[in-house]
Amino acid sequence: MSSSGKDHLGASSSEPLPVIIVGNGPSGICLSYLLSGYTPYVKPDAIHPHPLLQRKLTEAPGVSILDQDLDYLSEGLEGRSQSPVALLFDALLRPDTDFGGNMKSVLTWKHRKEHAIPHVVLGRNLPGGAWHSIEGSMVTLSQGQWMGLPDLEVKDWMQKKRRGLRNSRATAGDIAHYYRDYVVKKGLGHNFVSGAVVTAVEWGTPNPNSCGAQDSSPLFQVSGFLSRDQGRQPYSLWARNVVLATGTFDSPARLGIPGEALPFIHHELSALEAATRVGALTPASDPVLIIGAGLSAADAVLYARHYNIPVIHAFRRAVDDPGLVFNQLPKMLYPEYHKVHQMMREQSILSPSPYEGYRSLPGHRLLCFKEDCQAVFQDLKGVEKVFEVSLVLVLIGSHPDLSFLPGAGADFAVDPDQPLSTKRNPIDVDPFTYQSTRQEGLYAMGPLAGDNFVRFVQGGALAVASSLLRKETRKPP
């Protein structure tokens, strides 16, 4: 933790911070960069390939993107995100990437210290967030260039590290290292506090003289503890604005069946890695049961196969279901995932195995686990089957953990009557500021706001930074 971070957490000052960011993954890092005074401008000689956007960019020469009308600039843009500002920022950073081009960004960056807004970024892990929890050799789903943050391209960083991209993709370990390095290279470290767990975010309209507040805007109290070798160190901070950037990997989804709490049942790929590393799993072990039909399950299959560990792979959907992620990925870019899909299709427990050490159970429903390392299934015909296993990985997705908010954040979702979901029911935010539609001063970005790819979370950072800068400008002296 930086000395400045210690100062913030140890301070007893009554003056609240302008901004606290909860989460130090790519979203939080990008926002910290913008709030540290790094300001995007359009290069004077740049010509954007999108003619309508190019015309709009020429209307305000010399005016930073943060000071322009994001609603106006993003109008008419189309792409792989539902967020207009995400499409705008992506179009400025990577003008023709969706058409196979490699045109340089039309932005140039200036460090304007007078535009900096004091802030603290709280994160459980090192800067990079959940990327430090992913097995380092795993290859990213997105192209490596799409994982980059402003003004430091991944390919340039990797060339200096004497590394290369594999099929235009990077490993998770490289990306985690890149995010840590980005914070250092851009001089953002003094804003970041690692090992900071948030347990409560509360707010209310302050009294005129409380905590130095000058207006009737809500004031937030962020409480938690620092996880240290010597134990837990509690902290409590006050802020005028709180930005939620915690991502979606905090709480793995559960099956909700009997026996799921048994010690051989796990919900993270790291359990397979750890068991393999210490020799608890070998080619002679009973099979590892992997449950799920997404990319995390596929990663687990690939990992186990690499170490010749036998696998039973169970999933409820049909192999040819168009909603299955494998049916949506180009084969040339993702050969390893299509290999898993091929295995899922060609192999089942009822036919001779073309893949030694791998069995798939399509359309099977898991009924329960038994203490003697058994898993009980029901097939499509209603027949029960029992399998001896050594370890179980339940990899069926994850949910954001917003237990530190009142009602665990459910009241802030698009549909408050349904569970919060980053894909189906995210936090309801204004599309051009990312401020909650239900609570002034509370912002959400990244997966919490429905932006599930690093490539597009940066637009949320642009929207939040633009909104906060306007607030600071309007703030009374």
Side-chain angles (χ1 to χ4, degrees):
M1 179 175 63
S2 69
S3 59
S4 177
K6 289 180 181 177
D7 292 343
H8 283 305
L9 294 185
S12 58
S13 169
S14 61
E15 178 64 26
L17 284 161
V19 184
I20 291 176
I21 304 168
V22 182
N24 64 356
S27 299
I29 295 172
C30 187
L31 180 56
S32 178
Y33 179 70
L34 293 170
L35 295 184
S36 296
Y38 289 95
T39 309
Y41 293 83
V42 176
K43 296 174 183 174
D45 57 345
I47 299 178
H48 199 282
H50 192 291
L52 178 59
L53 179 56
Q54 170 61 20
R55 179 177 63 78
K56 292 178 179 179
L57 293 174
T58 60
E59 293 173 1
V63 179
S64 82
I65 298 297
L66 286 170
D67 293 324
Q68 295 193 44
D69 184 341
L70 301 182
D71 186 351
Y72 175 65
L73 288 180
S74 59
E75 185 182 10
L77 296 178
E78 297 178 348
R80 302 181 186 182
S81 172
Q82 299 300 311
S83 164
V85 183
L87 291 174
L88 170 65
F89 204 28
D90 185 65
L92 297 172
L93 291 169
R94 290 169 281 271
D96 59 352
T97 188
D98 280 337
F99 301 99
N102 57 0
M103 180 178 173
K104 291 285 187 181
S105 169
V106 300
L107 298 179
T108 184
W109 294 85
K110 299 178 183 178
H111 191 200
R112 300 186 61 183
K113 293 182 179 180
E114 70 275 15
H115 281 189
I117 299 177
H119 62 280
V120 169
V121 186
L122 304 175
R124 292 172 178 260
N125 300 312
L126 295 168
W131 284 94
H132 293 286
S133 304
I134 302 172
E135 202 281 318
S137 64
M138 294 297 177
V139 179
T140 61
L141 175 62
S142 297
Q143 294 187 45
Q145 62 177 340
W146 294 351
M147 310 302 292
L149 298 176
D151 204 30
L152 181 61
E153 292 192 21
V154 170
K155 64 179 181 180
D156 295 338
W157 176 85
M158 292 189 75
Q159 284 174 356
K160 291 181 179 179
K161 296 292 180 182
R162 301 181 186 274
R163 294 187 178 94
L165 297 175
R166 173 181 154 194
N167 290 335
S168 77
R169 293 152 67 201
T171 67
D174 281 335
I175 295 302
H177 187 186
Y178 164 82
Y179 291 142
R180 282 188 66 186
D181 224 22
Y182 186 92
V183 170
V184 174
K185 287 182 178 296
K186 298 301 181 182
L188 310 178
H190 62 284
N191 298 315
F192 283 73
V193 183
S194 298
V197 178
V198 175
T199 57
V201 175
E202 302 167 298
W203 58 88
T205 303
N207 295 322
N209 296 319
S210 68
C211 294
Q214 300 295 319
D215 55 35
S216 60
S217 298
L219 203 59
F220 296 83
Q221 184 179 21
V222 179
S223 306
F225 60 87
L226 290 176
S227 182
R228 293 289 178 262
D229 293 337
Q230 61 269 31
R232 295 182 173 186
Q233 174 189 338
Y235 68 83
S236 182
L237 299 172
W238 292 91
R240 290 193 291 271
N241 301 277
V242 168
V243 183
L244 305 175
T246 56
T248 185
F249 293 102
D250 284 327
S251 180
R254 270 28 182 198
L255 292 164
I257 63 171
E260 194 170 2
L262 289 169
F264 64 96
I265 316 296
H266 302 275
H267 297 81
E268 295 177 346
L269 178 58
S270 57
L272 175 60
E273 300 161 11
T276 305
R277 192 163 50 243
V278 300
L281 284 177
T282 71
S285 301
D286 283 333
V288 170
L289 173 59
I290 298 170
I291 300 166
L295 297 178
S296 295
D299 284 337
V301 170
L302 291 167
Y303 188 91
R305 297 279 293 170
H306 177 75
Y307 289 98
N308 295 317
I309 296 168
V311 170
I312 296 175
H313 185 192
F315 43 96
R316 296 187 62 176
R317 300 175 103 169
V319 177
D320 295 319
D321 186 329
L324 210 62
V325 67
F326 306 104
N327 294 314
Q328 304 170 21
L329 298 176
K331 290 184 178 181
M332 291 296 290
L333 274 180
Y334 307 99
E336 74 278 30
Y337 289 136
H338 279 278
K339 181 62 177 178
V340 173
H341 192 208
Q342 182 183 358
M343 293 163 60
M344 293 163 63
R345 179 185 292 111
E346 294 183 8
Q347 166 60 44
S348 79
I349 192 65
L350 302 177
S351 62
S353 173
Y355 302 101
E356 185 178 356
Y358 174 87
R359 290 176 169 178
S360 74
L361 303 177
H364 281 57
R365 185 165 70 93
L366 195 51
L367 300 179
C368 67
F369 298 108
K370 295 186 176 181
E371 289 186 3
D372 51 355
C373 290
Q374 289 185 334
V376 183
F377 286 90
Q378 185 180 70
D379 68 12
L380 288 169
K381 297 179 180 179
V383 178
E384 288 192 9
K385 299 173 182 177
V386 181
F387 295 95
E388 303 279 347
V389 298
S390 57
L391 180 143
V392 177
L393 290 179
V394 180
L395 301 173
I396 55 174
S398 57
H399 305 296
D401 180 7
L402 296 179
S403 57
F404 53 82
L405 288 179
D411 293 343
F412 303 102
V414 172
D415 184 350
D417 297 325
Q418 297 296 321
L420 185 70
S421 165
T422 57
K423 292 185 178 179
R424 292 175 294 278
N425 192 30
I427 291 178
D428 193 16
V429 297
D430 180 286
F432 301 103
T433 67
Y434 279 60
Q435 185 169 223
S436 166
T437 58
R438 299 188 179 94
Q439 177 57 55
E440 180 189 355
L442 185 68
Y443 294 78
M445 55 186 296
L448 293 177
D451 295 333
N452 288 291
F453 291 97
V454 172
R455 175 182 172 187
F456 294 117
V457 304
Q458 299 169 64
L462 180 72
V464 174
S466 177
S467 172
L468 292 172
L469 279 167
R470 283 178 166 79
K471 282 187 178 182
E472 287 297 301
T473 302
R474 293 196 304 266
K475 196 173 66 175

